[in-house]
Amino acid sequence: MFDFSTITQWVDELLRSFLPHAAATLVEFILIGLCLLVGYAVIALVLIYVERKVCAFFQCRIGPNRVGPYGTIQSVADMIKMLTKEIIDINHIDRFLFNLAPFVVIIASVLAFGCIPFAKGLHVIDFNVGIFFLIAVSSIGIVGILLAGWASNNKYSLIGAMRSGAQMISYELSIGLSILTVVVFTGSMQLSTIVEGQADGWLLFRGHIPACIAFIVYIIAGTAETNRGPFDLPEADSELTAGYHTEYSGMHFGFFYLAEYLNMFVVASVASTLFLGGWMPLHIPGWESFNQIMDYIPSIFWFFGKTAVVIFIIMWFKWTFPRLRIDQLLRLEWRYLLPINLINLFLMVIIVVFKLHF
Amino acid sequence: MKYEEFNDNEYLEQLRASGTNVIVGCLDDVINWGRSNSLWPLTFATSCCGIEFMAVGAARYDFSRFGFEVTRASPRQADFIMVAGTIVHKMAPVLKRLYDQMAEPKYVIAVGGCAISGGPFKNSYHVVQGVDSIIPVDVYIPGCPPRPEALLYGMIQLQRKVKVERFLGGKNHKEKENKE
Amino acid sequence: MLVDKIKNIAPEAEIDENGILTVTVEPAKYRELALRLKEERDLSFDFMICMTGMDWGDSLGVINLLQSTVHEHKLFLKTFTTDRENPELPTVSDIWATANLNEREVYDFLGIRFINHPDMRRLFLRNDWIGYPLRKDYDANPEINPVPLESEETLDATSTFEINPKDGEISEKENILFEENEYVVNIGPQHPATHGVLRFRVSLEGEIVKKVDVNCGYIHRGIEKLCESLTYPQTLALTDRLDYLAAHQNRHALCMCIEEALGLEIPERVKYIRTIMDELNRLSSHLLFWSCLCMDMGALTAFFYGFRDREKVLDIMEETTGGRLIQNYNVIGGVMADIHPNLIKRIKEFVKYLPPMIKEYHDVFTGNVIAQQRLKGVGILKKEDAISYGASGPTGRACGWSCDVRKHTPYGAYDKVDFKEILHSEGDSFARYMVRMEEILESLHILEQLVDNIPAGDYAVKTKPLIKLPEGHYFKSVEASRGEFGVYLESRGDKYPYRVKFRSPCLPLVSIVDLITKGGKIADLIAIGGTLDYVVPDIDR
């Protein structure tokens, strides 16, 4: 199986051969940063296009098809427009916080994006508390949303931000607990170790019932974290016009828009990393030749394939379900998901202690 | 009207005939391409024409094909406003404020007889005789209410109009000349 | 015998037994008679169909059409004041809740102040509007009321006019609508969930709605005043644009009213065609209701499903009438043109096509746990309230009030078809939703029966181009998609109507929003608005 670390090491050696140590590190930082940002933008654009097409097909429509072949560069046109659109200077707002908020949101999602192992050896930040770090940085985003709602001096925005605060704090618990289930199983918080640990079979299969429950809970809570339907209360179009970002225009709004899609990607890729083996090919113990054939498919395809499946599921229920009401949303979390999760964690501990897994 | 006689606003492209700097012109082309293919409407409808506007968004006519997909409820994020329906005295300041709240570049399409001239209610004491007395209108779509095809045609005319705009190489059509 | 009873109560009342019973009383006796009319068991006029403000030239007044939901008799109650400078009448808004908004409308249009009315603000026009447009001496010069470019100041207080029983002095008392420190959110006039340009001022406590204040008039087009300067055939065009989702039904009501006044005999074929078109219109309206409710509640895909099928109904109507949304099909004495040869075939196809789709709708939306939880038990309307507020149509039927005009006073070909009046008893949003969904099937059932039996004959009777109605007043109502749509017409024998008043089904619907939303969440307000399914131009007229 192709290991991307051969490329990264080659670049590293090349740089160090003619640059001093510090300079080489600096250049590497910049390179990595650029690659991440480009990847970030490209993935966001692709996702926007995919979402439009997918929802169009759900809704017996065609979706974008005039801009480029099959409308493929529709989101590029959107980006160009967004970049050249005016950013309105609004009176009676807390200007500093107002301008800060979109950056907080986008930085949080870029940081989370950086933690993801895309393929074998293609991993920017990998250290022993990787998944913990990922949860921590991704929840910075909520601060941005709260700031946006507060600073806008708009009643809709404020209600949206408060909803989002209540929602995120609640669902963070479920995300944390379902990830904890995985950590209990694999015994590590390092993402690379978690992926390596699934070489003989994906966690969803090995951990059977508790893992499946944790997966489902994670998907539900993850969707809630990204503010997507049916949990899109903070921006609920038909209730709060545009929720916390009502007052944002131009690229500021563009940041929120991008971050929404990227957060969806992050949630989906974490789901696939933790439960579906990340970039690890499908291995079935005992079927050696089958496993070898699977190994021929590059790891990056495995990762993006799995992520795409999860993203499709998330889109599917966004376009199917009506929106929840705030009390139902909180009841779902505190009455159902949280107890289920706690019991599930306990089950997982029993399974690990008595070695009941495959 | 015979199909051959149909004159499709051919003068529109001539607006740009005077020529411009190559680099700036190319940049303009790119920007205009982006803008014209990503015009997001404001969800704004006052009466009958609004239902036809919904029909244009729905499955049979589907304006998302042309990039009008994302209808924004917040004027800050919308690119053009479809004045679909009658504007009355009480609504006029609201419409003006909505227009002012939108970010540049912004466009206006007046849909239906009421928005163009007051339509069947022209003689009423409470109806504004055409929205162009309040805000500048880019495209007029006549009808009562116009069919969805007409709405689509009007929206595509707006795209054409955006394509001949100048963002860098020349004046933007919205800027008012300061006469002193 | 109704006459005798009324003579017993108010011996000095002037009673006209021509057509619907008309009782005219002095303002001093007006309130007492109104109270007795409602309270006495064998009268029990509990439903005020419509209140019309009138300018009779020498006097100003109101004429109320009352109906008893128990005995099903109708009565016009009329009162007037000759004081044109400071016209004052006693309020009946505590007797019939629907009079609350109606009296504000009369105040707005004619300047009649209602004593003891709790909220004497203008309903449609701006507070700084000069003049009262429905008065005959109104000066419509646009320079008096130019197009404003600044929004009016929103009033947080309103006033009640009270009469001092000792000296008869009238004093003004201030009522506070919203306190200084309340968190008041404006929903509308430009808001995706208000279905047009309605404005709610909502006082919130966190997510909980404490009070809703409805502000109308953002699409008040002055149709009633316009009609007074148009000939009868010309007025027809404006009815289509009132409630554009019930264009055909509205026009049907006005045509029937004029035909009744003329004593015109309508061919059977016309009745059938009109009934078929009415039902097609109802189908398209209810499908749109389903789509929009789903969209308001965040289920976007459902919106597209509904519109997909609505387009099919529009196709059928378009082939015959030439219009998609607004058909301009009914004319006085018949319909504009004969039906298209394809109509029968296509309706038959459609009747077969829709039921499986309705099942799909139920699978996609109705069966969903989230949808059920958001609709069930939300916005409960009691039957008494529905009657008192006059919230007829599917909303009234959802709380068990049998108010289908098609059943109670059949018009068109409704007496020849067999159909059920859909009644639910819960009165919550889910019941309102289900009533409409079941009415779709019922409409299909009606179409099925009619479509094969359209009798041969003329599609219209010849009428003169200039129609003059005999002197008198007339009222006719139909069951529109959202409730009872009525036309009150007063003629003085001219070619123009003296006064036309449309009883819009949607005005009562918005008046109950405050009543049934209190204590709910913001999201409930949206769901309730969706299930009430009001159309704003119909409210504002």
Side-chain angles (χ1 to χ4, degrees):
Chain A
M1 185 172 233
F2 181 71
D3 193 341
F4 273 92
S5 55
T6 49
I7 298 178
T8 48
Q9 263 160 19
W10 178 75
V11 173
D12 184 47
E13 275 158 24
L14 183 78
L15 284 172
R16 282 179 207 288
S17 62
F18 61 90
L19 279 174
H21 183 71
T25 315
L26 186 70
V27 171
E28 278 172 17
F29 278 173
I30 293 169
L31 271 182
I32 289 168
L34 277 178
C35 287
L36 265 186
L37 281 183
V38 169
Y40 186 91
V42 168
I43 287 176
L45 291 181
V46 170
L47 275 180
I48 291 173
Y49 170 71
V50 167
E51 160 119 310
R52 290 190 185 174
K53 272 298 193 194
V54 167
C55 87
F57 290 137
F58 275 129
Q59 300 167 345
C60 28
R61 296 187 288 133
I62 303 169
N65 72 345
R66 289 296 198 281
V67 192
Y70 302 102
T72 34
I73 46 176
Q74 174 66 54
S75 37
V76 179
D78 286 342
M79 186 190 70
I80 291 174
K81 186 217 55 190
M82 206 80 103
L83 283 171
T84 57
K85 200 145 170 72
E86 182 194 6
I87 293 176
I88 301 179
D89 198 20
I90 304 166
N91 293 332
H92 311 299
I93 52 166
D94 191 328
R95 193 143 295 137
F96 174 67
L97 294 183
F98 186 80
N99 292 330
L100 181 69
F103 292 98
V104 173
V105 171
I106 201 111
I107 285 171
S109 77
V110 174
L111 278 176
F113 183 69
C115 300
I116 296 163
F118 293 101
K120 194 173 188 184
L122 199 64
H123 199 165
V124 182
I125 314 170
D126 185 26
F127 57 114
N128 55 0
V129 289
I131 190 72
F132 181 69
F133 177 74
L134 199 149
I135 302 176
V137 292
S138 65
S139 38
I140 295 175
I142 167 195
V143 178
I145 291 178
L146 279 173
L147 283 185
W150 177 255
S152 293
N153 190 19
N154 178 316
K155 286 175 180 172
Y156 286 139
S157 301
L158 188 60
I159 297 172
M162 290 304 137
R163 281 181 174 186
S164 146
Q167 175 176 339
M168 297 264 210
I169 289 167
S170 320
Y171 281 83
E172 204 92 318
L173 278 173
S174 277
I175 291 211
L177 281 173
S178 53
I179 288 179
L180 206 57
T181 322
V182 177
V183 173
V184 166
F185 187 80
T186 53
S188 166
M189 289 215 268
Q190 189 163 6
L191 283 164
S192 56
T193 323
I194 293 175
V195 176
E196 299 287 353
Q198 304 181 53
D200 298 336
W202 302 347
L203 205 141
L204 196 62
F205 306 133
R206 288 180 63 208
H208 48 89
I209 298 167
C212 287
I213 294 174
F215 180 66
I216 292 167
V217 171
Y218 178 81
I219 292 282
I220 294 175
T223 319
E225 275 287 288
T226 53
N227 289 337
R228 286 176 61 84
F231 305 100
D232 57 347
L233 286 97
E235 38 196 314
D237 252 27
S238 53
E239 292 163 31
L240 305 175
T241 58
Y244 59 88
H245 56 61
T246 304
E247 293 288 344
Y248 284 90
S249 63
M251 208 48 214
H252 277 170
F253 163 65
F255 283 158
F256 285 116
Y257 198 66
L258 281 184
E260 184 195 324
Y261 284 93
L262 246 291
N263 285 338
M264 177 171 77
F265 179 77
V266 169
V267 164
S269 52
V270 169
S272 62
T273 305
L274 295 183
F275 297 97
L276 304 174
W279 47 263
M280 199 53 87
L282 178 63
H283 283 173
I284 297 170
W287 294 23
E288 286 314 315
S289 48
F290 175 81
N291 291 351
Q292 265 174 2
I293 294 167
M294 288 292 132
D295 280 347
Y296 279 113
I297 302 173
S299 54
I300 196 156
F301 284 120
W302 278 107
F303 173 78
F304 279 103
K306 290 170 192 173
T307 311
V309 170
V310 179
I311 286 177
F312 180 75
I313 294 172
I314 293 178
M315 284 182 182
W316 193 347
F317 55 75
K318 159 155 188 171
W319 294 109
T320 312
F321 291 136
R323 188 179 300 124
L324 287 152
R325 201 170 55 204
I326 184 78
D327 56 325
Q328 293 166 350
L329 180 98
L330 296 179
R331 200 186 313 141
L332 175 69
E333 166 63 22
W334 295 98
R335 277 256 189 93
Y336 301 107
L337 293 188
L338 191 64
I340 288 175
N341 236 331
L342 286 170
I343 294 165
N344 192 38
L345 186 62
F346 182 67
L347 266 181
M348 192 54 130
V349 170
I350 291 173
I351 283 178
V352 171
V353 170
F354 295 99
K355 299 225 168 4
L356 296 172
H357 54 80
F358 300 118
Chain B
M1 186 192 254
K2 279 190 198 130
Y3 191 76
E4 304 83 62
E5 288 169 11
F6 183 63
N7 195 339
D8 195 10
N9 291 345
E10 274 148 357
Y11 67 93
L12 206 55
E13 275 74 18
Q14 293 169 11
L15 289 174
R16 221 183 159 173
S18 59
T20 179
N21 185 313
V22 175
I23 299 167
V24 178
C26 286
L27 259 179
D28 259 0
D29 282 341
V30 172
I31 290 171
N32 286 339
W33 172 81
R35 281 181 175 175
S36 64
N37 283 313
S38 160
L39 287 164
W40 294 356
L42 177 73
T43 44
F44 176 80
T46 57
S47 52
C48 339
C49 299
I51 303 292
E52 291 297 52
F53 177 54
M54 279 157 80
V56 181
R60 185 181 286 185
Y61 297 99
D62 189 19
F63 60 27
S64 72
R65 289 176 294 156
F66 308 94
F68 298 112
E69 173 144 31
V70 193
T71 50
R72 298 302 311 176
S74 164
R76 304 263 186 227
Q77 295 144 16
D79 296 301
F80 73 99
I81 177 169
M82 276 259 206
V83 187
T86 327
I87 299 299
V88 300
H89 280 229
K90 204 170 178 180
M91 192 65 193
V94 182
L95 176 66
K96 185 167 181 300
R97 180 183 286 190
L98 276 175
Y99 180 75
D100 291 342
Q101 280 175 336
M102 285 164 71
E104 290 281 357
K106 50 191 172 184
Y107 309 95
V108 178
I109 298 184
V111 183
C114 299
I116 294 172
S117 69
F121 311 104
K122 193 168 174 56
N123 295 327
S124 169
Y125 54 91
H126 200 238
V127 170
V128 176
Q129 322 272 308
V131 288
D132 43 11
S133 60
I134 315 168
I135 53 177
V137 177
D138 291 280
V139 177
Y140 296 89
I141 306 177
C144 189
R147 293 182 56 86
E149 289 92 338
L151 286 173
L152 271 181
Y153 177 74
M155 288 157 98
I156 292 166
Q157 292 307 304
L158 179 64
Q159 286 192 334
R160 279 180 65 200
K161 207 172 164 180
V162 174
K163 282 207 174 96
V164 299
E165 250 184 14
R166 285 170 183 170
F167 183 59
L168 300 165
K171 254 194 205 118
N172 202 337
H173 79 294
K174 285 277 149 69
E175 281 169 26
K176 268 189 197 150
E177 281 181 44
N178 272 328
K179 281 179 196 159
E180 287 187 44
Chain C
M1 59 168 258
L2 196 57
V3 183
D4 300 334
K5 277 177 202 152
I6 290 164
K7 273 192 179 142
N8 260 340
I9 302 169
E12 68 287 343
E14 209 178 291
I15 296 174
D16 175 15
E17 288 179 67
N18 208 349
I20 300 174
L21 199 65
T22 310
V23 181
T24 314
V25 285
E26 294 284 320
K29 299 278 173 200
Y30 169 61
R31 234 191 96 81
E32 193 201 330
L33 178 62
L35 206 61
R36 298 279 293 271
L37 282 178
K38 185 177 179 196
E39 296 302 330
E40 280 195 18
R41 185 161 288 186
D42 40 0
L43 296 171
S44 67
F45 285 97
D46 48 359
F47 172 35
M48 178 186 266
I49 299 179
C50 84
M51 172 184 258
T52 314
M54 290 294 303
D55 179 1
W56 283 293
D58 50 347
S59 61
L60 295 169
V62 290
I63 175 158
N64 305 320
L65 180 59
L66 305 175
Q67 190 186 6
S68 162
T69 54
V70 188
H71 311 297
E72 306 220 341
H73 45 222
K74 279 184 191 168
L75 168 107
F76 278 117
L77 176 63
K78 195 163 145 183
T79 186
F80 59 89
T81 165
T82 46
D83 183 359
R84 286 185 75 89
E85 288 304 309
N86 287 310
E88 270 142 9
L89 288 176
T91 180
V92 289
S93 59
D94 49 339
I95 303 172
W96 296 283
T98 185
N100 191 323
L101 285 190
N102 275 304
E103 282 178 354
R104 280 178 64 189
E105 182 193 315
V106 173
Y107 169 64
D108 196 356
F109 288 160
L110 292 152
I112 302 175
R113 291 189 296 185
F114 288 87
I115 308 298
N116 284 336
H117 186 282
D119 181 7
M120 217 53 302
R121 278 176 301 163
R122 289 202 141 183
L123 183 62
F124 295 131
L125 302 176
R126 287 163 61 104
N127 295 318
D128 51 6
W129 190 268
I130 301 164
Y132 300 103
L134 278 184
R135 285 197 185 182
K136 292 289 171 190
D137 52 4
Y138 174 69
D139 185 2
N141 188 349
E143 277 163 26
I144 300 175
N145 291 302
V147 178
L149 289 179
E150 290 294 318
S151 286
E152 59 177 338
E153 198 193 344
T154 305
L155 301 177
D156 274 343
T158 168
S159 48
T160 301
F161 293 97
E162 281 177 337
I163 192 158
N164 193 332
K166 279 179 214 148
D167 50 4
E169 272 302 288
I170 284 165
S171 59
E172 199 174 330
K173 197 184 89 185
E174 195 174 55
N175 287 343
I176 304 290
L177 287 171
F178 295 108
E179 302 283 345
E180 189 79 14
N181 53 1
E182 272 182 273
Y183 194 76
V184 182
V185 178
N186 254 320
I187 297 187
Q190 200 286 118
H191 188 275
T194 50
H195 299 211
V197 282
L198 190 60
R199 176 174 170 213
F200 291 121
R201 297 187 71 215
V202 184
S203 168
L204 293 178
E205 190 156 317
E207 285 267 341
I208 295 167
V209 176
K210 270 164 62 190
K211 181 174 181 148
V212 183
D213 179 37
V214 181
N215 284 252
C216 310
Y218 289 91
I219 181 94
H220 169 63
R221 305 187 276 202
I223 287 182
E224 287 169 9
K225 180 78 176 175
L226 272 179
C227 284
E228 291 173 14
S229 59
L230 295 175
T231 61
Y232 288 102
Q234 284 174 327
T235 55
L236 293 179
L238 298 182
T239 49
D240 282 31
R241 285 150 183 90
L242 276 171
D243 177 355
Y244 37 78
L245 294 174
H248 203 89
Q249 294 147 351
N250 294 356
R251 207 174 161 112
H252 194 169
L254 183 57
C255 283
M256 282 201 317
C257 192
I258 296 173
E259 283 154 7
E260 192 193 58
L262 283 173
L264 216 58
E265 197 58 44
I266 300 303
E268 278 297 290
R269 184 177 177 81
V270 173
K271 286 186 179 169
Y272 272 74
I273 296 174
R274 282 181 177 175
T275 313
I276 288 174
M277 287 297 165
D278 277 2
E279 289 309 310
L280 283 174
N281 216 318
R282 195 182 316 278
L283 278 175
S284 87
S285 165
H286 283 356
L287 287 173
L288 188 111
F289 152 79
W290 185 76
S291 313
C292 290
L293 175 70
C294 296
M295 185 170 69
D296 286 348
M297 292 179 58
L300 273 172
T301 301
F303 169 78
F304 290 88
Y305 283 19
F307 258 75
R308 175 192 65 194
D309 298 332
R310 182 172 170 267
E311 289 288 342
K312 292 196 160 55
V313 188
L314 295 184
D315 277 350
I316 298 175
M317 288 201 282
E318 191 185 346
E319 224 171 30
T320 293
T321 65
R324 274 168 56 86
L325 187 65
I326 287 174
Q327 285 106 12
N328 292 330
Y329 189 50
N330 282 329
V331 290
I332 298 165
V335 291
M336 197 80 92
D338 207 355
I339 53 170
H340 193 273
N342 278 347
L343 181 80
I344 294 169
K345 192 183 91 206
R346 294 189 73 161
I347 289 180
K348 278 183 180 164
E349 279 167 15
F350 184 73
V351 168
K352 285 206 186 67
Y353 165 82
L354 197 62
M357 293 299 141
I358 300 289
K359 198 173 166 298
E360 189 180 84
Y361 294 176
H362 287 312
D363 290 344
V364 169
F365 187 76
T366 322
N368 192 313
V369 185
I370 302 173
Q372 296 222 349
Q373 288 200 347
R374 281 197 57 185
L375 293 175
K376 275 191 180 156
V378 168
I380 297 176
L381 179 69
K382 289 200 263 332
K383 187 180 167 187
E384 308 87 78
D385 286 332
I387 296 173
S388 171
Y389 278 89
S392 57
T395 308
R397 290 196 282 279
C399 43
W401 175 26
S402 163
C403 57
D404 196 330
V405 185
R406 296 175 293 173
K407 267 277 182 239
H408 291 272
T409 43
Y411 56 94
Y414 285 114
D415 49 349
K416 299 188 184 63
V417 288
D418 162 54
F419 69 100
K420 280 205 302 284
E421 180 178 4
I422 311 289
L423 285 176
H424 279 237
S425 54
E426 299 87 359
D428 58 354
S429 296
F430 192 71
R432 288 194 281 277
Y433 168 77
M434 283 314 284
V435 165
R436 287 197 171 84
M437 295 313 277
E438 286 165 30
E439 272 185 12
I440 292 181
L441 295 177
E442 212 53 38
S443 288
L444 289 177
H445 185 53
I446 295 174
L447 282 176
E448 219 170 14
Q449 298 172 50
L450 288 176
V451 83
D452 273 331
N453 303 321
I454 305 176
D458 284 337
Y459 60 83
V461 284
K462 277 249 156 40
T463 50
K464 278 179 280 179
L466 259 187
I467 292 169
K468 283 184 182 169
L469 291 198
E471 203 164 323
H473 57 226
Y474 311 93
F475 181 84
K476 203 80 195 163
S477 64
V478 298
E479 181 70 22
S481 313
R482 282 159 193 75
E484 181 170 354
F485 178 85
V487 177
Y488 173 82
L489 212 153
E490 188 154 330
S491 165
R492 297 226 161 155
D494 288 332
K495 56 184 178 181
Y496 309 113
Y498 186 73
R499 171 87 164 96
V500 181
K501 152 93 184 179
F502 297 110
R503 192 262 176 203
S504 87
C506 298
L507 188 64
L509 295 182
V510 287
S511 63
I512 58 174
V513 170
D514 180 40
L515 178 80
I516 63 179
T517 314
K518 237 177 237 171
K521 308 273 189 306
I522 306 172
D524 291 339
L525 175 69
I526 306 300
I528 288 170
T531 52
L532 288 177
D533 188 29
Y534 39 74
V535 165
V536 185
D538 189 39
I539 301 166
D540 288 354
R541 281 163 282 143

